[in-house]
Amino acid sequence: MTTPDFSIEFFPPKTAEGTEKLRVTRAKLAELNPKYFSVTFGAGGTTQQGTLDTVTEIRREGHDAAPHLSCVGGTRESIRTILNEFKANDIRRLVALRGDLPSGYGMGGEFRYANELVEFIRAETGDWFHIEVAAYPEMHPQARSPQDDLNSFVRKMNAGANAAITQYFYNADAYFRFTEEARKAGVTAPIVAGIMPITNSTQLQRFSEMCGAEIPRWIRLKLASYGDDTASIKAFGLDVVTAMCERLLAGGAPGLHFYSLNQAAATTAIWQRLV
Ligand SMILES: Cc1cc2nc3c(=O)[nH]c(=O)nc-3n(C[C@H](O)[C@H](O)[C@H](O)COP(=O)(O)OP(=O)(O)OC[C@H]3O[C@@H](n4cnc5c(N)ncnc54)[C@H](O)[C@@H]3O)c2cc1C
């Protein structure tokens, strides 16, 4: 088996305190030697500066880092400006997304879907960027059907993406089925599994409802049974998620991308059990 690629995602902090906390988190996670860190981008450009600042700081510390870039609400000109800024900072990889504007904002902008963003990046910057896109083993919540969503994913890969990272899930079979169908549809690029450690049951439930990730009944009931006992929630989460990661890697997943939520402990604990 080739060594899997591990990467870790952050969101750009909004306060000076958050920035300081993220520095501490990052120092701990850097010891794991991930292939790169990625930093999310608020839809509509709301975190544009924070994303770039965080990425450049990580790169100054000697680690590879990729900004996310979401196109919803953007114009060709605004996205061109951001791409030029990334290039000027010698950033060579990014995660290209459509993004979601808050409800009530509609879609707006000149890009409708991520495949149009990928096409635009390639047209504007050639092969400068290594481009990752998002994949949804349990189907994107707005897709009409799993087949439609797969077709959209294939279109996005064919537009020039180098690799994909999945939405998180707790059902390895969904990932295996999705990657098999993508292969059959001609996708040869790596599809890295997105991993959300379990540390907080209420927050997980809220995120999962928004992004369409299913928490299997048995996991949901177990978490509920622990009530406020966070130590038990974390211990159970660590066992469940590590076992799933082991299965994913044994089944051929080319890598794992950890949604760290700017916390070091859970990602570190899972990682150390895996290596
Ligand atoms: C790894 C990862 C990182 C993320 N990072 C961020 C971030 O930093 N910032 C942020 O705001 N959000 C982020 N998201 C969330 C993401 O923006 C949302 O899930 C968003 O709703 C979809 O983005 P997408 O790029 O997958 O969109 P798309 O690939 O455009 O898909 C969106 C929907 O449209 C459908 N579709 C796609 N193309 C077409 C087409 N040509 N015709 C008809 N239907 C189509 C798809 O089936 C899907 O239902 C991330 C998600 C993942 C998995």
Side-chain angles (χ1 to χ4, degrees), residues 40-41 68 97-100 113-114 134 136 140 143 149 152 155-156 167 259:
T40 61
F41 186 98
H68 295 205
L97 304 139
R98 186 196 68 182
D100 294 304
Y113 299 110
Y136 301 86
H140 183 267
D149 205 29
S152 295
R155 198 177 304 117
K156 191 159 61 170
Q167 184 56 276
Y259 296 105

mmCIF file with all atom_site columns, all heavy atoms in Angstrom, residues 40-41 68 97-100 113-114 134 136 140 143 149 152 155-156 167 259, ligand 1:
data_model
loop_
_atom_site.group_PDB
_atom_site.id
_atom_site.type_symbol
_atom_site.label_atom_id
_atom_site.label_alt_id
_atom_site.label_comp_id
_atom_site.label_asym_id
_atom_site.label_entity_id
_atom_site.label_seq_id
_atom_site.pdbx_PDB_ins_code
_atom_site.Cartn_x
_atom_site.Cartn_y
_atom_site.Cartn_z
_atom_site.occupancy
_atom_site.B_iso_or_equiv
_atom_site.pdbx_formal_charge
_atom_site.auth_seq_id
_atom_site.auth_comp_id
_atom_site.auth_asym_id
_atom_site.auth_atom_id
_atom_site.pdbx_PDB_model_num
ATOM   1   N N   . THR A 1 40  ? -10.435 27.362 5.016   1.00 0.00 ? 40  THR A N   1
ATOM   2   C CA  . THR A 1 40  ? -11.718 27.595 4.349   1.00 0.00 ? 40  THR A CA  1
ATOM   3   C C   . THR A 1 40  ? -11.902 29.070 3.961   1.00 0.00 ? 40  THR A C   1
ATOM   4   O O   . THR A 1 40  ? -11.176 29.950 4.439   1.00 0.00 ? 40  THR A O   1
ATOM   5   C CB  . THR A 1 40  ? -12.917 27.159 5.227   1.00 0.00 ? 40  THR A CB  1
ATOM   6   O OG1 . THR A 1 40  ? -12.883 27.930 6.422   1.00 0.00 ? 40  THR A OG1 1
ATOM   7   C CG2 . THR A 1 40  ? -12.847 25.684 5.545   1.00 0.00 ? 40  THR A CG2 1
ATOM   8   N N   . PHE A 1 41  ? -12.885 29.282 3.099   1.00 0.00 ? 41  PHE A N   1
ATOM   9   C CA  . PHE A 1 41  ? -13.137 30.598 2.509   1.00 0.00 ? 41  PHE A CA  1
ATOM   10  C C   . PHE A 1 41  ? -14.622 30.866 2.632   1.00 0.00 ? 41  PHE A C   1
ATOM   11  O O   . PHE A 1 41  ? -15.431 30.116 2.086   1.00 0.00 ? 41  PHE A O   1
ATOM   12  C CB  . PHE A 1 41  ? -12.729 30.505 1.030   1.00 0.00 ? 41  PHE A CB  1
ATOM   13  C CG  . PHE A 1 41  ? -12.770 31.784 0.265   1.00 0.00 ? 41  PHE A CG  1
ATOM   14  C CD1 . PHE A 1 41  ? -11.618 32.523 0.064   1.00 0.00 ? 41  PHE A CD1 1
ATOM   15  C CD2 . PHE A 1 41  ? -13.955 32.234 -0.300  1.00 0.00 ? 41  PHE A CD2 1
ATOM   16  C CE1 . PHE A 1 41  ? -11.646 33.697 -0.677  1.00 0.00 ? 41  PHE A CE1 1
ATOM   17  C CE2 . PHE A 1 41  ? -13.987 33.414 -1.044  1.00 0.00 ? 41  PHE A CE2 1
ATOM   18  C CZ  . PHE A 1 41  ? -12.822 34.141 -1.230  1.00 0.00 ? 41  PHE A CZ  1
ATOM   19  N N   . HIS A 1 68  ? -9.048  27.663 0.390   1.00 0.00 ? 68  HIS A N   1
ATOM   20  C CA  . HIS A 1 68  ? -10.256 27.287 -0.342  1.00 0.00 ? 68  HIS A CA  1
ATOM   21  C C   . HIS A 1 68  ? -10.688 28.548 -1.085  1.00 0.00 ? 68  HIS A C   1
ATOM   22  O O   . HIS A 1 68  ? -10.363 29.661 -0.678  1.00 0.00 ? 68  HIS A O   1
ATOM   23  C CB  . HIS A 1 68  ? -11.373 26.847 0.605   1.00 0.00 ? 68  HIS A CB  1
ATOM   24  C CG  . HIS A 1 68  ? -11.059 25.591 1.359   1.00 0.00 ? 68  HIS A CG  1
ATOM   25  N ND1 . HIS A 1 68  ? -12.038 24.767 1.850   1.00 0.00 ? 68  HIS A ND1 1
ATOM   26  C CD2 . HIS A 1 68  ? -9.890  25.011 1.714   1.00 0.00 ? 68  HIS A CD2 1
ATOM   27  C CE1 . HIS A 1 68  ? -11.485 23.740 2.470   1.00 0.00 ? 68  HIS A CE1 1
ATOM   28  N NE2 . HIS A 1 68  ? -10.173 23.871 2.408   1.00 0.00 ? 68  HIS A NE2 1
ATOM   29  N N   . LEU A 1 97  ? -14.531 25.616 -4.817  1.00 0.00 ? 97  LEU A N   1
ATOM   30  C CA  . LEU A 1 97  ? -15.898 25.269 -4.411  1.00 0.00 ? 97  LEU A CA  1
ATOM   31  C C   . LEU A 1 97  ? -16.913 26.258 -4.941  1.00 0.00 ? 97  LEU A C   1
ATOM   32  O O   . LEU A 1 97  ? -16.565 27.394 -5.245  1.00 0.00 ? 97  LEU A O   1
ATOM   33  C CB  . LEU A 1 97  ? -15.986 25.323 -2.873  1.00 0.00 ? 97  LEU A CB  1
ATOM   34  C CG  . LEU A 1 97  ? -14.984 24.434 -2.190  1.00 0.00 ? 97  LEU A CG  1
ATOM   35  C CD1 . LEU A 1 97  ? -14.403 25.142 -1.012  1.00 0.00 ? 97  LEU A CD1 1
ATOM   36  C CD2 . LEU A 1 97  ? -15.589 23.119 -1.845  1.00 0.00 ? 97  LEU A CD2 1
ATOM   37  N N   . ARG A 1 98  ? -18.148 25.827 -4.962  1.00 0.00 ? 98  ARG A N   1
ATOM   38  C CA  . ARG A 1 98  ? -19.214 26.785 -5.244  1.00 0.00 ? 98  ARG A CA  1
ATOM   39  C C   . ARG A 1 98  ? -19.496 27.625 -4.009  1.00 0.00 ? 98  ARG A C   1
ATOM   40  O O   . ARG A 1 98  ? -19.578 28.831 -4.065  1.00 0.00 ? 98  ARG A O   1
ATOM   41  C CB  . ARG A 1 98  ? -20.505 26.058 -5.656  1.00 0.00 ? 98  ARG A CB  1
ATOM   42  C CG  . ARG A 1 98  ? -21.581 27.016 -6.102  1.00 0.00 ? 98  ARG A CG  1
ATOM   43  C CD  . ARG A 1 98  ? -22.944 26.355 -6.120  1.00 0.00 ? 98  ARG A CD  1
ATOM   44  N NE  . ARG A 1 98  ? -23.415 26.027 -4.782  1.00 0.00 ? 98  ARG A NE  1
ATOM   45  C CZ  . ARG A 1 98  ? -24.543 25.410 -4.516  1.00 0.00 ? 98  ARG A CZ  1
ATOM   46  N NH1 . ARG A 1 98  ? -25.318 25.026 -5.511  1.00 0.00 ? 98  ARG A NH1 1
ATOM   47  N NH2 . ARG A 1 98  ? -24.920 25.151 -3.279  1.00 0.00 ? 98  ARG A NH2 1
ATOM   48  N N   . GLY A 1 99  ? -19.626 26.965 -2.839  1.00 0.00 ? 99  GLY A N   1
ATOM   49  C CA  . GLY A 1 99  ? -19.996 27.678 -1.612  1.00 0.00 ? 99  GLY A CA  1
ATOM   50  C C   . GLY A 1 99  ? -21.497 27.837 -1.491  1.00 0.00 ? 99  GLY A C   1
ATOM   51  O O   . GLY A 1 99  ? -22.256 27.503 -2.411  1.00 0.00 ? 99  GLY A O   1
ATOM   52  N N   . ASP A 1 100 ? -21.926 28.311 -0.347  1.00 0.00 ? 100 ASP A N   1
ATOM   53  C CA  . ASP A 1 100 ? -23.354 28.552 -0.079  1.00 0.00 ? 100 ASP A CA  1
ATOM   54  C C   . ASP A 1 100 ? -23.497 29.935 0.520   1.00 0.00 ? 100 ASP A C   1
ATOM   55  O O   . ASP A 1 100 ? -22.890 30.207 1.552   1.00 0.00 ? 100 ASP A O   1
ATOM   56  C CB  . ASP A 1 100 ? -23.883 27.561 0.982   1.00 0.00 ? 100 ASP A CB  1
ATOM   57  C CG  . ASP A 1 100 ? -23.875 26.140 0.476   1.00 0.00 ? 100 ASP A CG  1
ATOM   58  O OD1 . ASP A 1 100 ? -24.477 25.889 -0.575  1.00 0.00 ? 100 ASP A OD1 1
ATOM   59  O OD2 . ASP A 1 100 ? -23.259 25.299 1.145   1.00 0.00 ? 100 ASP A OD2 1
ATOM   60  N N   . TYR A 1 113 ? -21.891 26.986 -10.702 1.00 0.00 ? 113 TYR A N   1
ATOM   61  C CA  . TYR A 1 113 ? -21.443 25.719 -10.120 1.00 0.00 ? 113 TYR A CA  1
ATOM   62  C C   . TYR A 1 113 ? -19.913 25.660 -10.103 1.00 0.00 ? 113 TYR A C   1
ATOM   63  O O   . TYR A 1 113 ? -19.239 26.376 -10.868 1.00 0.00 ? 113 TYR A O   1
ATOM   64  C CB  . TYR A 1 113 ? -21.981 24.542 -10.938 1.00 0.00 ? 113 TYR A CB  1
ATOM   65  C CG  . TYR A 1 113 ? -23.480 24.494 -10.963 1.00 0.00 ? 113 TYR A CG  1
ATOM   66  C CD1 . TYR A 1 113 ? -24.177 24.774 -12.136 1.00 0.00 ? 113 TYR A CD1 1
ATOM   67  C CD2 . TYR A 1 113 ? -24.198 24.186 -9.818  1.00 0.00 ? 113 TYR A CD2 1
ATOM   68  C CE1 . TYR A 1 113 ? -25.565 24.753 -12.159 1.00 0.00 ? 113 TYR A CE1 1
ATOM   69  C CE2 . TYR A 1 113 ? -25.587 24.157 -9.830  1.00 0.00 ? 113 TYR A CE2 1
ATOM   70  C CZ  . TYR A 1 113 ? -26.266 24.439 -11.005 1.00 0.00 ? 113 TYR A CZ  1
ATOM   71  O OH  . TYR A 1 113 ? -27.638 24.406 -11.006 1.00 0.00 ? 113 TYR A OH  1
ATOM   72  N N   . ALA A 1 114 ? -19.406 24.736 -9.283  1.00 0.00 ? 114 ALA A N   1
ATOM   73  C CA  . ALA A 1 114 ? -17.948 24.665 -9.107  1.00 0.00 ? 114 ALA A CA  1
ATOM   74  C C   . ALA A 1 114 ? -17.221 24.290 -10.398 1.00 0.00 ? 114 ALA A C   1
ATOM   75  O O   . ALA A 1 114 ? -16.074 24.695 -10.598 1.00 0.00 ? 114 ALA A O   1
ATOM   76  C CB  . ALA A 1 114 ? -17.627 23.663 -7.995  1.00 0.00 ? 114 ALA A CB  1
ATOM   77  N N   . ALA A 1 134 ? -14.772 19.340 -4.167  1.00 0.00 ? 134 ALA A N   1
ATOM   78  C CA  . ALA A 1 134 ? -15.537 18.601 -3.159  1.00 0.00 ? 134 ALA A CA  1
ATOM   79  C C   . ALA A 1 134 ? -16.310 17.438 -3.791  1.00 0.00 ? 134 ALA A C   1
ATOM   80  O O   . ALA A 1 134 ? -16.765 17.533 -4.929  1.00 0.00 ? 134 ALA A O   1
ATOM   81  C CB  . ALA A 1 134 ? -16.521 19.551 -2.474  1.00 0.00 ? 134 ALA A CB  1
ATOM   82  N N   . TYR A 1 136 ? -19.325 14.174 -2.690  1.00 0.00 ? 136 TYR A N   1
ATOM   83  C CA  . TYR A 1 136 ? -20.378 13.886 -1.704  1.00 0.00 ? 136 TYR A CA  1
ATOM   84  C C   . TYR A 1 136 ? -20.810 12.424 -1.766  1.00 0.00 ? 136 TYR A C   1
ATOM   85  O O   . TYR A 1 136 ? -21.761 12.094 -2.501  1.00 0.00 ? 136 TYR A O   1
ATOM   86  C CB  . TYR A 1 136 ? -21.575 14.829 -1.945  1.00 0.00 ? 136 TYR A CB  1
ATOM   87  C CG  . TYR A 1 136 ? -21.165 16.276 -1.825  1.00 0.00 ? 136 TYR A CG  1
ATOM   88  C CD1 . TYR A 1 136 ? -20.635 16.960 -2.924  1.00 0.00 ? 136 TYR A CD1 1
ATOM   89  C CD2 . TYR A 1 136 ? -21.229 16.926 -0.600  1.00 0.00 ? 136 TYR A CD2 1
ATOM   90  C CE1 . TYR A 1 136 ? -20.198 18.271 -2.800  1.00 0.00 ? 136 TYR A CE1 1
ATOM   91  C CE2 . TYR A 1 136 ? -20.791 18.243 -0.472  1.00 0.00 ? 136 TYR A CE2 1
ATOM   92  C CZ  . TYR A 1 136 ? -20.279 18.903 -1.578  1.00 0.00 ? 136 TYR A CZ  1
ATOM   93  O OH  . TYR A 1 136 ? -19.833 20.196 -1.451  1.00 0.00 ? 136 TYR A OH  1
ATOM   94  N N   . HIS A 1 140 ? -24.895 15.443 -2.391  1.00 0.00 ? 140 HIS A N   1
ATOM   95  C CA  . HIS A 1 140 ? -25.035 16.844 -1.980  1.00 0.00 ? 140 HIS A CA  1
ATOM   96  C C   . HIS A 1 140 ? -26.516 17.118 -1.708  1.00 0.00 ? 140 HIS A C   1
ATOM   97  O O   . HIS A 1 140 ? -27.382 16.666 -2.469  1.00 0.00 ? 140 HIS A O   1
ATOM   98  C CB  . HIS A 1 140 ? -24.512 17.765 -3.100  1.00 0.00 ? 140 HIS A CB  1
ATOM   99  C CG  . HIS A 1 140 ? -24.545 19.205 -2.730  1.00 0.00 ? 140 HIS A CG  1
ATOM   100 N ND1 . HIS A 1 140 ? -25.614 20.027 -3.029  1.00 0.00 ? 140 HIS A ND1 1
ATOM   101 C CD2 . HIS A 1 140 ? -23.658 19.976 -2.058  1.00 0.00 ? 140 HIS A CD2 1
ATOM   102 C CE1 . HIS A 1 140 ? -25.357 21.250 -2.560  1.00 0.00 ? 140 HIS A CE1 1
ATOM   103 N NE2 . HIS A 1 140 ? -24.173 21.243 -1.980  1.00 0.00 ? 140 HIS A NE2 1
ATOM   104 N N   . ALA A 1 143 ? -28.795 18.167 -4.642  1.00 0.00 ? 143 ALA A N   1
ATOM   105 C CA  . ALA A 1 143 ? -28.793 17.411 -5.909  1.00 0.00 ? 143 ALA A CA  1
ATOM   106 C C   . ALA A 1 143 ? -30.157 16.758 -6.117  1.00 0.00 ? 143 ALA A C   1
ATOM   107 O O   . ALA A 1 143 ? -30.844 16.393 -5.151  1.00 0.00 ? 143 ALA A O   1
ATOM   108 C CB  . ALA A 1 143 ? -27.695 16.363 -5.882  1.00 0.00 ? 143 ALA A CB  1
ATOM   109 N N   . ASP A 1 149 ? -25.855 13.957 -9.153  1.00 0.00 ? 149 ASP A N   1
ATOM   110 C CA  . ASP A 1 149 ? -24.744 14.493 -8.369  1.00 0.00 ? 149 ASP A CA  1
ATOM   111 C C   . ASP A 1 149 ? -23.421 13.897 -8.854  1.00 0.00 ? 149 ASP A C   1
ATOM   112 O O   . ASP A 1 149 ? -22.412 14.595 -8.960  1.00 0.00 ? 149 ASP A O   1
ATOM   113 C CB  . ASP A 1 149 ? -24.970 14.174 -6.880  1.00 0.00 ? 149 ASP A CB  1
ATOM   114 C CG  . ASP A 1 149 ? -24.255 15.159 -5.968  1.00 0.00 ? 149 ASP A CG  1
ATOM   115 O OD1 . ASP A 1 149 ? -24.068 16.325 -6.375  1.00 0.00 ? 149 ASP A OD1 1
ATOM   116 O OD2 . ASP A 1 149 ? -23.876 14.759 -4.857  1.00 0.00 ? 149 ASP A OD2 1
ATOM   117 N N   . SER A 1 152 ? -22.450 15.581 -11.998 1.00 0.00 ? 152 SER A N   1
ATOM   118 C CA  . SER A 1 152 ? -21.888 16.913 -11.721 1.00 0.00 ? 152 SER A CA  1
ATOM   119 C C   . SER A 1 152 ? -20.454 16.784 -11.225 1.00 0.00 ? 152 SER A C   1
ATOM   120 O O   . SER A 1 152 ? -19.583 17.580 -11.583 1.00 0.00 ? 152 SER A O   1
ATOM   121 C CB  . SER A 1 152 ? -22.710 17.645 -10.658 1.00 0.00 ? 152 SER A CB  1
ATOM   122 O OG  . SER A 1 152 ? -23.993 17.890 -11.149 1.00 0.00 ? 152 SER A OG  1
ATOM   123 N N   . ARG A 1 155 ? -18.240 16.035 -14.149 1.00 0.00 ? 155 ARG A N   1
ATOM   124 C CA  . ARG A 1 155 ? -18.080 17.253 -14.956 1.00 0.00 ? 155 ARG A CA  1
ATOM   125 C C   . ARG A 1 155 ? -17.023 18.164 -14.329 1.00 0.00 ? 155 ARG A C   1
ATOM   126 O O   . ARG A 1 155 ? -16.179 18.736 -14.998 1.00 0.00 ? 155 ARG A O   1
ATOM   127 C CB  . ARG A 1 155 ? -19.433 17.973 -15.017 1.00 0.00 ? 155 ARG A CB  1
ATOM   128 C CG  . ARG A 1 155 ? -19.546 18.974 -16.140 1.00 0.00 ? 155 ARG A CG  1
ATOM   129 C CD  . ARG A 1 155 ? -20.923 19.622 -16.207 1.00 0.00 ? 155 ARG A CD  1
ATOM   130 N NE  . ARG A 1 155 ? -22.024 18.682 -16.333 1.00 0.00 ? 155 ARG A NE  1
ATOM   131 C CZ  . ARG A 1 155 ? -22.985 18.530 -15.436 1.00 0.00 ? 155 ARG A CZ  1
ATOM   132 N NH1 . ARG A 1 155 ? -23.013 19.268 -14.345 1.00 0.00 ? 155 ARG A NH1 1
ATOM   133 N NH2 . ARG A 1 155 ? -23.948 17.660 -15.608 1.00 0.00 ? 155 ARG A NH2 1
ATOM   134 N N   . LYS A 1 156 ? -17.078 18.245 -13.010 1.00 0.00 ? 156 LYS A N   1
ATOM   135 C CA  . LYS A 1 156 ? -16.144 19.102 -12.266 1.00 0.00 ? 156 LYS A CA  1
ATOM   136 C C   . LYS A 1 156 ? -14.717 18.562 -12.376 1.00 0.00 ? 156 LYS A C   1
ATOM   137 O O   . LYS A 1 156 ? -13.775 19.328 -12.551 1.00 0.00 ? 156 LYS A O   1
ATOM   138 C CB  . LYS A 1 156 ? -16.642 19.099 -10.815 1.00 0.00 ? 156 LYS A CB  1
ATOM   139 C CG  . LYS A 1 156 ? -16.050 20.062 -9.908  1.00 0.00 ? 156 LYS A CG  1
ATOM   140 C CD  . LYS A 1 156 ? -16.954 20.312 -8.691  1.00 0.00 ? 156 LYS A CD  1
ATOM   141 C CE  . LYS A 1 156 ? -17.240 19.113 -7.816  1.00 0.00 ? 156 LYS A CE  1
ATOM   142 N NZ  . LYS A 1 156 ? -17.898 19.483 -6.563  1.00 0.00 ? 156 LYS A NZ  1
ATOM   143 N N   . GLN A 1 167 ? -17.054 15.287 1.433   1.00 0.00 ? 167 GLN A N   1
ATOM   144 C CA  . GLN A 1 167 ? -17.777 15.709 2.628   1.00 0.00 ? 167 GLN A CA  1
ATOM   145 C C   . GLN A 1 167 ? -17.575 14.588 3.658   1.00 0.00 ? 167 GLN A C   1
ATOM   146 O O   . GLN A 1 167 ? -17.346 13.431 3.298   1.00 0.00 ? 167 GLN A O   1
ATOM   147 C CB  . GLN A 1 167 ? -19.268 15.844 2.281   1.00 0.00 ? 167 GLN A CB  1
ATOM   148 C CG  . GLN A 1 167 ? -20.127 16.357 3.396   1.00 0.00 ? 167 GLN A CG  1
ATOM   149 C CD  . GLN A 1 167 ? -19.626 17.688 3.921   1.00 0.00 ? 167 GLN A CD  1
ATOM   150 O OE1 . GLN A 1 167 ? -18.726 17.703 4.754   1.00 0.00 ? 167 GLN A OE1 1
ATOM   151 N NE2 . GLN A 1 167 ? -20.183 18.776 3.426   1.00 0.00 ? 167 GLN A NE2 1
ATOM   152 N N   . TYR A 1 259 ? -11.191 17.465 9.149   1.00 0.00 ? 259 TYR A N   1
ATOM   153 C CA  . TYR A 1 259 ? -11.852 18.727 9.476   1.00 0.00 ? 259 TYR A CA  1
ATOM   154 C C   . TYR A 1 259 ? -11.556 18.986 10.949  1.00 0.00 ? 259 TYR A C   1
ATOM   155 O O   . TYR A 1 259 ? -12.246 18.466 11.827  1.00 0.00 ? 259 TYR A O   1
ATOM   156 C CB  . TYR A 1 259 ? -13.368 18.594 9.246   1.00 0.00 ? 259 TYR A CB  1
ATOM   157 C CG  . TYR A 1 259 ? -13.723 18.346 7.793   1.00 0.00 ? 259 TYR A CG  1
ATOM   158 C CD1 . TYR A 1 259 ? -14.128 17.088 7.345   1.00 0.00 ? 259 TYR A CD1 1
ATOM   159 C CD2 . TYR A 1 259 ? -13.632 19.375 6.866   1.00 0.00 ? 259 TYR A CD2 1
ATOM   160 C CE1 . TYR A 1 259 ? -14.435 16.865 6.013   1.00 0.00 ? 259 TYR A CE1 1
ATOM   161 C CE2 . TYR A 1 259 ? -13.933 19.162 5.522   1.00 0.00 ? 259 TYR A CE2 1
ATOM   162 C CZ  . TYR A 1 259 ? -14.342 17.915 5.110   1.00 0.00 ? 259 TYR A CZ  1
ATOM   163 O OH  . TYR A 1 259 ? -14.640 17.699 3.790   1.00 0.00 ? 259 TYR A OH  1
HETATM 164 C C1  . LIG B 2 .   ? -13.860 19.423 1.209   1.00 0.00 ? 1   LIG B C1  1
HETATM 165 C C2  . LIG B 2 .   ? -14.880 20.514 1.316   1.00 0.00 ? 1   LIG B C2  1
HETATM 166 C C3  . LIG B 2 .   ? -14.459 21.817 1.602   1.00 0.00 ? 1   LIG B C3  1
HETATM 167 C C4  . LIG B 2 .   ? -15.381 22.863 1.657   1.00 0.00 ? 1   LIG B C4  1
HETATM 168 N N1  . LIG B 2 .   ? -14.924 24.137 1.935   1.00 0.00 ? 1   LIG B N1  1
HETATM 169 C C5  . LIG B 2 .   ? -15.783 25.181 1.892   1.00 0.00 ? 1   LIG B C5  1
HETATM 170 C C6  . LIG B 2 .   ? -15.321 26.532 2.056   1.00 0.00 ? 1   LIG B C6  1
HETATM 171 O O1  . LIG B 2 .   ? -14.145 26.758 2.275   1.00 0.00 ? 1   LIG B O1  1
HETATM 172 N N2  . LIG B 2 .   ? -16.219 27.526 1.969   1.00 0.00 ? 1   LIG B N2  1
HETATM 173 C C7  . LIG B 2 .   ? -17.546 27.294 1.707   1.00 0.00 ? 1   LIG B C7  1
HETATM 174 O O2  . LIG B 2 .   ? -18.312 28.253 1.623   1.00 0.00 ? 1   LIG B O2  1
HETATM 175 N N3  . LIG B 2 .   ? -18.027 26.028 1.587   1.00 0.00 ? 1   LIG B N3  1
HETATM 176 C C8  . LIG B 2 .   ? -17.178 24.978 1.650   1.00 0.00 ? 1   LIG B C8  1
HETATM 177 N N4  . LIG B 2 .   ? -17.642 23.686 1.477   1.00 0.00 ? 1   LIG B N4  1
HETATM 178 C C9  . LIG B 2 .   ? -19.092 23.477 1.307   1.00 0.00 ? 1   LIG B C9  1
HETATM 179 C C10 . LIG B 2 .   ? -19.538 23.642 -0.156  1.00 0.00 ? 1   LIG B C10 1
HETATM 180 O O3  . LIG B 2 .   ? -19.296 24.940 -0.608  1.00 0.00 ? 1   LIG B O3  1
HETATM 181 C C11 . LIG B 2 .   ? -21.027 23.311 -0.230  1.00 0.00 ? 1   LIG B C11 1
HETATM 182 O O4  . LIG B 2 .   ? -21.223 21.941 -0.018  1.00 0.00 ? 1   LIG B O4  1
HETATM 183 C C12 . LIG B 2 .   ? -21.742 23.792 -1.480  1.00 0.00 ? 1   LIG B C12 1
HETATM 184 O O5  . LIG B 2 .   ? -23.146 23.633 -1.293  1.00 0.00 ? 1   LIG B O5  1
HETATM 185 C C13 . LIG B 2 .   ? -21.388 23.019 -2.745  1.00 0.00 ? 1   LIG B C13 1
HETATM 186 O O6  . LIG B 2 .   ? -20.151 23.313 -3.194  1.00 0.00 ? 1   LIG B O6  1
HETATM 187 P P1  . LIG B 2 .   ? -19.523 22.439 -4.394  1.00 0.00 ? 1   LIG B P1  1
HETATM 188 O O7  . LIG B 2 .   ? -18.253 23.079 -4.749  1.00 0.00 ? 1   LIG B O7  1
HETATM 189 O O8  . LIG B 2 .   ? -19.502 21.009 -4.051  1.00 0.00 ? 1   LIG B O8  1
HETATM 190 O O9  . LIG B 2 .   ? -20.623 22.733 -5.514  1.00 0.00 ? 1   LIG B O9  1
HETATM 191 P P2  . LIG B 2 .   ? -20.971 22.088 -6.901  1.00 0.00 ? 1   LIG B P2  1
HETATM 192 O O10 . LIG B 2 .   ? -20.007 21.051 -7.324  1.00 0.00 ? 1   LIG B O10 1
HETATM 193 O O11 . LIG B 2 .   ? -21.217 23.232 -7.815  1.00 0.00 ? 1   LIG B O11 1
HETATM 194 O O12 . LIG B 2 .   ? -22.352 21.346 -6.593  1.00 0.00 ? 1   LIG B O12 1
HETATM 195 C C14 . LIG B 2 .   ? -23.430 22.037 -5.971  1.00 0.00 ? 1   LIG B C14 1
HETATM 196 C C15 . LIG B 2 .   ? -24.763 21.380 -6.328  1.00 0.00 ? 1   LIG B C15 1
HETATM 197 O O13 . LIG B 2 .   ? -25.092 21.651 -7.681  1.00 0.00 ? 1   LIG B O13 1
HETATM 198 C C16 . LIG B 2 .   ? -25.195 20.458 -8.448  1.00 0.00 ? 1   LIG B C16 1
HETATM 199 N N5  . LIG B 2 .   ? -24.506 20.745 -9.712  1.00 0.00 ? 1   LIG B N5  1
HETATM 200 C C17 . LIG B 2 .   ? -23.182 20.904 -9.874  1.00 0.00 ? 1   LIG B C17 1
HETATM 201 N N6  . LIG B 2 .   ? -22.887 21.245 -11.139 1.00 0.00 ? 1   LIG B N6  1
HETATM 202 C C18 . LIG B 2 .   ? -24.065 21.308 -11.795 1.00 0.00 ? 1   LIG B C18 1
HETATM 203 C C19 . LIG B 2 .   ? -24.428 21.633 -13.129 1.00 0.00 ? 1   LIG B C19 1
HETATM 204 N N7  . LIG B 2 .   ? -23.485 22.002 -14.040 1.00 0.00 ? 1   LIG B N7  1
HETATM 205 N N8  . LIG B 2 .   ? -25.754 21.590 -13.439 1.00 0.00 ? 1   LIG B N8  1
HETATM 206 C C20 . LIG B 2 .   ? -26.701 21.279 -12.524 1.00 0.00 ? 1   LIG B C20 1
HETATM 207 N N9  . LIG B 2 .   ? -26.405 20.957 -11.243 1.00 0.00 ? 1   LIG B N9  1
HETATM 208 C C21 . LIG B 2 .   ? -25.106 20.984 -10.871 1.00 0.00 ? 1   LIG B C21 1
HETATM 209 C C22 . LIG B 2 .   ? -24.495 19.387 -7.631  1.00 0.00 ? 1   LIG B C22 1
HETATM 210 O O14 . LIG B 2 .   ? -25.033 18.102 -7.885  1.00 0.00 ? 1   LIG B O14 1
HETATM 211 C C23 . LIG B 2 .   ? -24.768 19.867 -6.225  1.00 0.00 ? 1   LIG B C23 1
HETATM 212 O O15 . LIG B 2 .   ? -26.045 19.489 -5.804  1.00 0.00 ? 1   LIG B O15 1
HETATM 213 C C24 . LIG B 2 .   ? -16.762 22.604 1.452   1.00 0.00 ? 1   LIG B C24 1
HETATM 214 C C25 . LIG B 2 .   ? -17.190 21.290 1.206   1.00 0.00 ? 1   LIG B C25 1
HETATM 215 C C26 . LIG B 2 .   ? -16.274 20.260 1.137   1.00 0.00 ? 1   LIG B C26 1
HETATM 216 C C27 . LIG B 2 .   ? -16.747 18.858 0.877   1.00 0.00 ? 1   LIG B C27 1
#
